[in-house]
Amino acid sequence: MGLVSRGAAEAGLGAASAVDRPGPPDAVPNPTPTPPAEGADPGSSRPSMVLKAFFPTCCASADSGLLVGRWVPEQSSAVVLAVVHFPFIPIQVKELLAQVQQASQVGVTVLGTWCHRRQEPEESLGHFLEGLGAIFSHKPWFQLCRERGSKSWSCKATHWQGPASPAASGEDQVMLIFYDQRKVLLSQLHPPTALPNRQAGDTTASAGGLAAVFDTVARSEALFQSDRFDEGPVRLSHWQSEGMEASILVELAKWAAGPVCLFLACLLSLISAASACRVFKLWPLSFIWSKLSTCEQLRHRLEQLTLIFSTQKAESPAQLMRKANMLVSVLLDVALGLMLLSWLHRKDLIGQLADALIPVADHVAEELQHLLQWLMGAPAGLKMNRALDQVLGRFFLYHIHLWISYIHLMSPFIERILWHVGLSACLGLTVALSILSDIIALLTFHIYCFYVYGARLYCLKIHGLSSLWRLFRGKKWNVLRQRVDSCSYDLDQLFIGTLLFTILVFLLPTTALYYLVFTLLRLLVVAVQGLIHLLVDLINSLPLYSLGLRLCRPYRLAAGVKFRVLEHETGRPLRLLMQINPLPYSRVVHTYRLPTCGCHPKHSWGSLCRKLFFGELIYPWRQRGNKQD
Amino acid sequence: MEDEQSFSDICGGRLALQRRFYSPSCLEFSLSCPRITLRSLTAVTCTVWLAAYGLFTLCENSMILSAAIFITLLGLLGYLHFVKIDHETLLIIDSLGIQMTSSYASGKESTTFIEMGQVNDVVINEAIYMQKVIYYLCILLKDPVEPHGISQVVPLFQSAKPRLDCLIEVYRSCQDILAHQKATSTSL
């Protein structure tokens, strides 16, 4: 009773300034008293439609008022965004809604009335509420009602036919779906497959059912600016009705981010300009830069930092996530690098490493010498060609001797160099690992040389053999036509060819054995380097911010929704709770992976075996260009 | 309104089908799988520990025994959390969609929701599974490009694997709701 009179009185008070306000509630024409038909209207031929009303859980305890939101006709669903409380002036409500509609491109209208009361409603309240339906005409008009302190809800949706035609206004069944407004506002849907023919500029009308709900809530930020305690003309209730949430740290960070980004962006552009200067493009330096994986990693990090600190705002949520992932990855990298540095310095490992390096290099060289002595004898019981064996063995032994001399020459400077290199770990763990990989490559350079010599020799032999084999059969390779043609040879050509063929065949086991041994050693080194590169790639590409978000705020990354049926009494409408179904971790990693340097081996196993058999050189980390060694 | 019936799965284990009728437009089916039995648990544990003890007598290293205990515990936890499904639920809501939930023995739930706009039909398919011919219920999804085509088949009740009589019950109720849904959508 008191509610009706207060509402009517205050609405009447506002009437003085309103222009097209109808008279007091009892002057509103009475709609046809339709019997509350639960099922289909016998007059209409269509089956009873079930309308869906998405209701925010924060408004379930709000006082009575008007429901404001968006009606999606294709899904027959109404998304309630807020509740406008009494007293209000209809013209001001309409103005506010027009403003919001213009600001957010979302068709926000008044959908119906909301009644939160203590006992059964009185007749006059019912008429008043229906009278409001005449002011804000909307089809269908929702009337949601809840008893205070209990869980019984009731809702009606009527199709207002207008006062002129008191024909049967149909009533439809309404299904209530509760949703947490804050979570739906902040979350981002990840559809399983992106449709190929969907434009980015489409309005939400074409979006699938639940994506439309998410979109509506996300775009209606303008509606959530004013709340119940504001002094404005219209009092709203929504998820921020307890007051606007904000954090001082976040605001300060946002304010400080501008100048800091500008400063860092200038610094980074200076560094990139310095590294792109002409001096570094001269031949020896550019060759070395392209071979070292450290330079590659540093370049990659520089690019990432430039992207993070660029002064442009991120356009889409995906770009924002990518920036955040890069920043967290860089920070973690630097933190791990600093930990490594402190560990190295605490145990004075650098000194120990420098002391141990020369003996280790000596030990490796000694082992290689033993290996060569073994090959020069009768390895694994095989009988080798004595002369060739001795030649190759002596050649490689001399090579090792040269290498050891160079290492001993460098030994006074090793500790200094290592100390400076160890400092670079403060740039990140990935840089330290890349340096380690490069050091391994440099230390095993002689193994690489042996592999190249052995492979070239073997390759020459195989090509010679195949060409002489063709001669044996009376054929030759036609370079012009790239095919094998028959050819008639002279007698002396055939004679010499056969001699050479026999010689090569008998020398094959020796060469093949040397080639096999050094290829295995080379593959071992490549495997170790590969593991290090894999670890570096992992640190580079793992989206840690997204994983952290999925762990701590799972509703931000949504794969979909899930429903739960709430307590149901017969005669009452069906109530569901819509919750957000978070994205599984594997999909998070797959969607938000950062792009890496891309230095993956490009061979399949088959082509690798083929190359090994024919003695072609294998380059596992071909990043740019096809330089021949 | 709730009722419960007892069926059997394709291997002969007992299943319980619980049907909840919330409203003419909302229906829930819950199929509970046979539980993990004490006998199988004891058998697996004894096998693992006998193997560990055999290794221990060979190697004389007591770490093997503690490792076997750890492996058994972790294996059991992993099995309950990732593999063993306790019951599967199918919730159909007219004009909203179909939701499938699998609840694991440790309480974890994994849910998939398919909107009604993507559902073409719900059918019972036959399949050849090792030496058996089995029936399974599946949802056919619409192809976005071609209006009458089918882009994906989503099988239901994959862990419970009920027999045809149980599937027919579920199928009939689903078809009632889908027919109602089609009638209302074509009348728009």
Side-chain angles (χ1 to χ4, degrees):
Chain A
M1 200 60 81
L3 180 67
V4 175
S5 50
R6 178 166 64 96
E10 277 151 347
L13 273 175
S17 54
V19 176
D20 55 347
R21 172 85 178 60
D26 43 281
V28 167
N30 216 348
T32 317
T34 55
E38 290 298 325
D41 193 1
S44 73
S45 60
R46 61 184 170 86
S48 64
M49 276 283 301
V50 178
L51 301 177
K52 302 179 284 236
F54 289 87
F55 196 78
T57 45
C58 48
C59 294
S61 50
D63 289 330
S64 314
L66 282 182
L67 294 170
V68 160
R70 179 177 171 225
W71 166 250
V72 184
E74 302 88 21
Q75 322 284 337
S76 322
S77 58
V79 182
V80 175
L81 293 169
V83 173
V84 175
H85 294 295
F86 300 121
F88 58 83
I89 302 171
I91 200 80
Q92 285 178 338
V93 172
K94 285 188 186 171
E95 266 174 22
L96 175 73
L97 292 180
Q99 270 175 18
V100 169
Q101 201 160 349
Q102 203 181 18
S104 62
Q105 314 291 331
V106 172
V108 179
T109 56
V110 176
L111 294 171
T113 57
W114 161 243
C115 187
H116 193 194
R117 66 195 193 279
R118 278 185 205 289
Q119 59 270 358
E120 285 302 310
E122 296 86 6
E123 252 327 282
S124 45
L125 179 63
H127 289 329
F128 170 65
L129 293 176
E130 275 160 5
L132 287 173
I135 306 170
F136 304 99
S137 59
H138 184 265
K139 251 164 84 153
W141 184 251
F142 287 88
Q143 287 170 298
L144 295 177
C145 221
R146 181 189 173 195
E147 270 179 33
R148 207 175 271 276
S150 89
K151 286 209 169 73
S152 51
W153 291 63
S154 76
C155 28
K156 275 194 307 186
T158 51
H159 285 267
W160 181 256
Q161 297 292 346
S165 60
S169 57
E171 249 189 41
D172 292 320
Q173 284 203 349
V174 182
M175 188 159 53
L176 275 175
I177 302 173
F178 295 106
Y179 69 98
D180 188 328
Q181 203 164 42
R182 177 169 165 266
K183 292 192 176 167
V184 168
L185 181 73
L186 292 173
S187 87
Q188 201 189 329
L189 267 184
H190 293 81
T193 47
L195 295 175
N197 46 4
R198 210 157 52 142
Q199 280 90 27
D202 259 352
T203 55
T204 52
S206 60
L210 291 160
V213 175
F214 278 74
D215 205 52
T216 309
V217 178
R219 296 216 273 179
S220 314
E221 293 255 16
L223 188 62
F224 303 136
Q225 299 296 333
S226 67
D227 60 32
R228 199 169 50 185
F229 302 104
D230 270 353
E231 296 300 320
V234 180
R235 284 170 43 218
L236 291 170
S237 227
H238 44 75
W239 69 280
Q240 292 204 331
S241 45
E242 302 306 312
M244 302 275 276
E245 309 186 330
S247 152
I248 292 184
L249 289 175
V250 168
E251 296 300 317
L252 276 178
K254 279 193 198 158
W255 182 82
V260 165
C261 276
L262 201 60
F263 171 65
L264 283 170
C266 292
L267 201 65
L268 287 169
S269 60
L270 272 175
I271 298 180
S272 353
S275 69
C277 82
R278 297 281 295 270
V279 153
F280 293 124
K281 296 254 191 310
L282 295 177
W283 182 76
L285 282 177
S286 68
F287 180 70
I288 294 176
W289 291 157
S290 69
K291 289 289 177 203
L292 289 178
S293 59
T294 314
C295 301
E296 196 56 42
Q297 177 65 21
L298 282 172
R299 193 184 334 209
H300 181 70
R301 279 289 182 228
L302 194 65
E303 270 173 24
Q304 281 190 335
L305 283 172
T306 320
L307 189 63
I308 296 174
F309 292 117
S310 77
T311 43
Q312 284 175 318
K313 254 182 99 68
E315 282 123 37
S316 65
Q319 260 196 346
L320 191 66
M321 286 289 249
R322 181 182 276 208
K323 273 191 174 183
N325 279 327
M326 280 186 196
L327 184 65
V328 174
S329 162
V330 166
L331 286 176
L332 181 77
D333 202 13
V334 168
L336 285 175
L338 288 173
M339 266 169 51
L340 179 72
L341 200 61
S342 76
W343 178 67
L344 282 178
H345 277 264
R346 194 157 21 113
K347 303 248 182 113
D348 193 28
L349 274 178
I350 296 211
Q352 290 177 8
L353 209 67
D355 289 336
L357 201 65
I358 303 296
V360 162
D362 274 343
H363 180 72
V364 168
E366 245 183 67
E367 290 298 318
L368 270 178
Q369 279 174 338
H370 285 193
L371 183 70
L372 284 167
Q373 300 286 359
W374 179 68
L375 281 176
M376 275 165 44
L382 293 170
K383 196 151 179 340
M384 313 282 272
N385 180 297
R386 193 115 181 93
L388 184 62
D389 217 355
Q390 295 287 322
V391 161
L392 286 176
R394 294 239 172 91
F395 172 64
F396 288 138
L397 278 172
Y398 185 62
H399 203 287
I400 294 178
H401 173 76
L402 275 178
W403 179 252
I404 290 297
S405 319
Y406 287 142
I407 294 265
H408 281 272
L409 212 64
M410 285 248 297
S411 61
F413 309 113
I414 291 275
E415 178 157 359
R416 273 293 101 195
I417 294 177
L418 269 186
W419 190 81
H420 285 290
V421 157
L423 269 190
S424 72
C426 66
L427 286 174
L429 184 67
T430 46
V431 177
L433 284 174
S434 315
I435 290 184
L436 180 67
S437 158
D438 286 335
I439 288 180
I440 291 180
L442 282 175
L443 281 182
T444 56
F445 188 64
H446 48 329
I447 296 183
Y448 178 59
C449 288
F450 290 171
Y451 163 71
V452 172
Y453 302 149
R456 284 279 187 236
L457 212 57
Y458 180 76
C459 184
L460 265 175
K461 186 174 282 278
I462 290 286
H463 281 154
L465 271 177
S466 59
S467 151
L468 289 172
W469 172 245
R470 272 179 240 131
L471 176 134
F472 213 57
R473 283 160 41 221
K475 298 201 190 289
K476 89 170 167 64
W477 176 253
N478 191 338
V479 185
L480 222 58
R481 301 237 184 194
Q482 297 286 313
R483 65 171 186 207
V484 176
D485 275 343
S486 65
C487 169
S488 64
Y489 290 101
D490 292 339
L491 194 61
D492 42 358
Q493 282 174 331
L494 278 176
F495 183 59
I496 296 191
T498 315
L499 264 180
L500 284 174
F501 178 74
T502 329
I503 292 175
L504 283 179
V505 163
F506 287 139
L507 288 180
L508 186 64
T510 316
T511 329
L513 193 66
Y514 273 90
Y515 172 65
L516 185 70
V517 167
F518 291 128
T519 308
L520 284 175
L521 280 175
R522 172 77 183 142
L523 285 179
L524 186 67
V525 172
V526 162
V528 170
Q529 276 193 298
L531 276 175
I532 296 181
H533 278 246
L534 209 64
L535 194 58
V536 168
D537 262 354
L538 187 71
I539 300 181
N540 268 344
S541 72
L542 203 62
L544 287 163
Y545 176 72
S546 307
L547 285 175
L549 205 63
R550 167 66 182 86
L551 196 66
C552 306
R553 306 252 188 277
Y555 56 84
R556 292 280 295 265
L557 303 167
V561 292
K562 52 188 179 191
F563 290 92
R564 194 161 62 96
V565 183
L566 299 174
E567 284 172 24
H568 179 67
E569 301 158 31
T570 45
R572 297 285 182 188
L574 183 67
R575 295 181 306 144
L576 301 166
L577 178 66
M578 180 171 90
Q579 290 166 315
I580 296 189
N581 202 10
L583 213 52
Y585 287 101
S586 52
R587 271 200 65 198
V588 173
V589 172
H590 182 71
T591 317
Y592 290 110
R593 266 179 87 106
L594 295 169
T596 58
C597 309
C599 28
H600 293 295
K602 293 178 186 32
H603 313 297
S604 64
W605 289 109
S607 75
L608 187 70
C609 289
R610 200 182 137 272
K611 285 196 174 187
L612 283 178
F613 184 71
F614 283 113
E616 289 169 25
L617 291 173
I618 42 177
Y619 300 105
W621 334 111
R622 239 331 148 224
Q623 284 140 12
R624 49 194 89 236
N626 289 317
K627 284 203 255 222
Q628 284 293 314
D629 206 344
Chain B
M1 188 160 89
E2 203 173 300
D3 70 351
E4 184 161 336
Q5 274 176 289
S6 179
F7 291 98
S8 66
D9 70 0
I10 55 175
C11 304
R14 263 203 42 195
L15 297 173
L17 177 72
Q18 253 190 345
R19 182 184 4 214
R20 269 182 228 112
F21 180 81
Y22 292 111
S23 86
S25 57
C26 178
L27 209 55
E28 187 176 36
F29 288 98
S30 181
L31 204 58
S32 42
C33 310
R35 302 289 175 96
I36 183 170
T37 56
L38 194 60
R39 193 191 307 181
S40 57
L41 190 61
T42 322
V44 170
T45 315
C46 285
T47 324
V48 172
W49 284 0
L50 275 174
Y53 195 69
L55 268 179
F56 171 67
T57 47
L58 277 175
C59 301
E60 303 291 336
N61 190 356
S62 67
M63 284 293 290
I64 294 182
L65 294 178
S66 1
I69 295 179
F70 268 126
I71 290 174
T72 317
L73 275 175
L74 288 175
L76 183 66
L77 283 176
Y79 178 71
L80 290 179
H81 192 72
F82 293 110
V83 176
K84 180 83 186 83
I85 293 187
D86 194 41
H87 59 267
E88 289 180 305
T89 314
L90 182 74
L91 174 69
I92 312 176
I93 310 168
D94 189 10
S95 81
L96 204 56
I98 306 184
Q99 171 171 293
M100 289 99 64
T101 313
S102 307
S103 318
Y104 291 85
S106 64
K108 174 174 101 155
E109 286 191 356
S110 110
T111 319
T112 321
F113 178 74
I114 302 178
E115 292 186 46
M116 211 39 117
Q118 292 181 330
V119 171
N120 193 338
D121 205 357
V122 172
V123 294
I124 297 184
N125 260 350
E126 280 180 320
I128 298 181
Y129 180 68
M130 310 261 247
Q131 81 284 10
K132 299 190 263 240
V133 174
I134 59 166
Y135 298 93
Y136 63 98
L137 192 67
C138 58
I139 304 179
L140 302 176
L141 298 183
K142 282 190 188 150
D143 196 6
V145 174
E146 201 194 331
H148 292 290
I150 292 167
S151 73
Q152 214 183 338
V153 171
V154 180
L156 302 174
F157 299 128
Q158 281 189 293
S159 312
K161 298 198 192 67
R163 287 197 181 167
L164 191 60
D165 43 4
C166 178
L167 289 178
I168 289 179
E169 290 287 331
V170 181
Y171 173 78
R172 282 216 186 102
S173 316
C174 290
Q175 284 295 330
D176 283 339
I177 294 192
L178 282 182
H180 183 248
Q181 151 74 16
K182 285 204 174 83
T184 49
S185 67
T186 49
S187 73
L188 270 175

